[in-house]
Amino acid sequence: KILAANPYRLIEVDGISFKLADRCAMRWGFTNLEARVCAAVTHILNEARNEGHSYLPLHNIPDRIAHLSVVVNNRDLETILCENDHKHEWTITDGRIALTSLIQYEHEIASDLAARVTDPVDPIDPVIDDLMEDQVEAVKQAVASEVFILCGSPGTGKTRSVKALIDSFESAGLH
């Protein structure tokens, strides 16, 4: 009964792709465009997640849907997406579309990090030999923080800073 009502529910089973579910739906004469588009969007977002993306710009969806051989005009696509926002596994916000579960995880992580930022840290002396000024500042901030995120462009010394941070912890007897 469930698959007769919507064969695209097959994509909820690990290992069953949208294309397989789509072939089944076509063979069974299932022609509900809305269900097909919603399944395609869920598939696209799961693929994006597997590629390391937590969301996609909404304007990327038409091209990605077309790659799945789903023919839908942009006006119908926009209507289907807006009418099904929050009904499925995805959410649309600020021109982006994301799996709802990833949004929830992001909020949980942010809350946990915010709580940790206020935790007191026992001071240790940083090892800052042969570092540039911005690297010294980064290492000093890192050893004084419960949570620290180091970012920068390639070649700016992140690896060297992390090595200095590890050396700092080791010299303080923290392994």
Side-chain angles (χ1 to χ4, degrees):
K1 284 185 174 183
I2 293 172
L3 292 180
N6 184 354
Y8 292 102
R9 297 280 308 267
L10 283 169
I11 68 168
E12 296 171 19
V13 177
D14 283 339
I16 296 185
S17 68
F18 170 80
K19 290 187 179 196
L20 177 59
D22 198 38
R23 282 196 307 269
C24 291
M26 295 303 161
R27 278 192 202 132
W28 300 339
F30 188 81
T31 59
N32 184 316
L33 179 63
E34 184 173 315
R36 188 173 190 223
V37 168
C38 290
V41 169
T42 299
H43 171 78
I44 289 164
L45 292 172
N46 280 315
E47 278 190 333
R49 179 199 61 214
N50 293 341
E51 295 166 1
H53 305 290
S54 57
Y55 72 89
L56 290 174
L58 203 48
H59 64 82
N60 286 1
I61 298 300
D63 286 341
R64 288 183 178 243
I65 283 195
H67 285 290
L68 293 172
S69 302
V70 176
V71 178
V72 59
N73 68 52
N74 285 345
R75 173 176 266 157
D76 289 343
L77 176 60
E78 186 176 325
T79 299
I80 290 169
L81 289 174
C82 289
E83 288 177 357
N84 287 281
D85 183 25
H86 294 291
K87 289 181 188 175
H88 290 273
E89 299 175 12
W90 35 268
T91 303
I92 299 171
T93 308
D94 299 327
R96 299 177 298 183
I97 186 166
L99 290 169
T100 305
S101 60
L102 293 182
I103 294 170
Q104 291 168 341
Y105 296 146
E106 185 177 277
H107 288 290
E108 290 170 14
I109 290 167
S111 294
D112 186 51
L113 286 174
R116 289 174 183 258
V117 168
T118 61
D119 290 347
V121 176
D122 294 330
I124 65 170
D125 292 323
V127 175
I128 52 174
D129 301 330
D130 300 322
L131 295 179
M132 305 275 284
E133 186 178 327
D134 56 341
Q135 294 168 321
V136 169
E137 185 59 33
V139 172
K140 284 180 178 180
Q141 287 180 18
V143 299
S145 304
E146 179 73 20
V147 176
F148 184 81
I149 299 172
L150 178 65
C151 43
S153 301
T156 58
K158 294 179 302 296
T159 302
R160 185 176 242 185
S161 298
V162 169
K163 170 128 178 38
L165 187 57
I166 291 168
D167 291 345
S168 299
F169 290 134
E170 286 179 344
S171 73
L174 304 170
H175 299 278

